[in-house]
Amino acid sequence: MAVILKLTGVACIGLGLAWTLCYMYFGRYELSLVFVGLMGVGVLALHRSKRSNGSSLLLVAHGILAVICAISWIDAPIAWVPRSVHLFLLPLAAGAAFTFEPRERYGSLIFPLVCLGAFTAFAVGALDPLAPNVSPPLEVRVWGVRLNTTTSMLLLAGIFAIYRIDTGKRLRMERELGRAVRNGEIEVHYQPQVRYSGIVSGAEALIRWRHPSGELLSPDAFIDLAEESALICEIGLEVLRQACQTLSHWSSDPRTQALRLAVNISPVQLLDDSLVSSVSSIIRESGIDPTLLEFELTESALATRSSTVIERMKALESTGVSWALDDFGTGYSSLATLRTLPVRKLKIDRQFLIEATRQESAQRLLGKIIEISHVMGLKPLAEGVETPEQRELLIGLGCDHFQGYLFAQPMPRGELHAWLDTQQLPRTSPRL
């Protein structure tokens, strides 16, 4: 997205400046205003390239669409000079189709179709009768056809090249990721979870990938690809195996045998028919107490096929494990849906905590979320706690279970064991 936005920004500013100066030279100031707008869109694209998100791309894309349609409306064919500005609708459509993920239906499908529809309308002259009689000078139109055709095709070729390079990288990473489990490249780091009293209740197992290059990759770099390719099913089970090994190790030490361990479950995994039997087999082979194992599921998993998801959650709960709803408040679940889930803990997204330290209204909202969890008989756990002030705020609002850098960063199992040696640990198995 960053590359597409930068390419768009440079092209819009360059073309806009060139045509603005051209029309000012010929004294056609009314036409130069449209291209000033094109430069404005280019500046917006460069500014938004720092964020590189879907909303930035859509905002810029709609700005470009509006400018192209306005210029194409004026750019009606005259004599033997054809219309040419509408050709820029082709790279615009391709850029959106290639950049947005398939699940982002508007950006990847609807917007490109709108662009192609507009291109067709201008190409067949459907709007020519409505065009204003303000055509640029003929000599400008002649050069414009050459420049616009060449530039639009170069942009289209550039977008195809970027897409090909990106696709090649994704395919290479997918092949490498497919070998990651067999090559022992999947690592699990652990971030402790702490009670108000300072007693460590357990930890969350967090996946890392030791890439063949030696770089340790965080989930943001590969989880989406793993879910799209269904490799997450194999990878998720490997994380569970390592987590169960950790629980088995803890069970042999009286100081750590009451600690709980949370493992993330992907929505894609829950749609796998073999998940329940695979999880049951891993738990049985490891010999752990399943009541010390907690599965975490994000709210986004409930967006589609929620009935199947809930059915699998209940089937896994029957093995003895418990469930927590991760990133609560950022997804799709209503309170009515929440009541049907076999969930015993709510993990409050860190963004609520960040905003609560800045705005009083956000603080009240955070308090209501914690209150709702208590009313529904669920235990709240706040993620992303980084300062003593945030901890005190949460305690005042009724939340006494935390996870975040204030207590410890995610760490390998060896470092975690050394860290646990310095902490207060539960004497008996804690209740949820």
Side-chain angles (χ1 to χ4, degrees), residues 141-184:
R141 290 290 304 273
V142 172
W143 281 103
V145 169
R146 298 171 182 172
L147 179 62
N148 291 334
T149 302
T150 302
T151 305
S152 62
M153 293 302 103
L154 286 174
L155 283 173
L156 188 59
I159 289 172
F160 276 117
I162 293 171
Y163 178 71
R164 181 181 179 185
I165 293 172
D166 184 63
T167 302
K169 289 180 179 178
R170 289 173 65 88
L171 289 174
R172 184 166 58 254
M173 179 172 277
E174 184 177 334
R175 288 194 296 270
E176 293 171 343
L177 190 58
R179 297 190 291 264
V181 174
R182 296 193 301 273
N183 294 342

Side-chain angles (χ1 to χ4, degrees), residues 295-315:
F295 288 151
E296 293 185 4
L297 183 71
T298 60
E299 281 191 279
S300 59
L302 305 173
T304 57
R305 299 180 63 178
S306 59
S307 59
T308 302
V309 169
I310 295 173
E311 179 184 340
R312 295 278 160 77
M313 291 176 69
K314 291 180 177 179

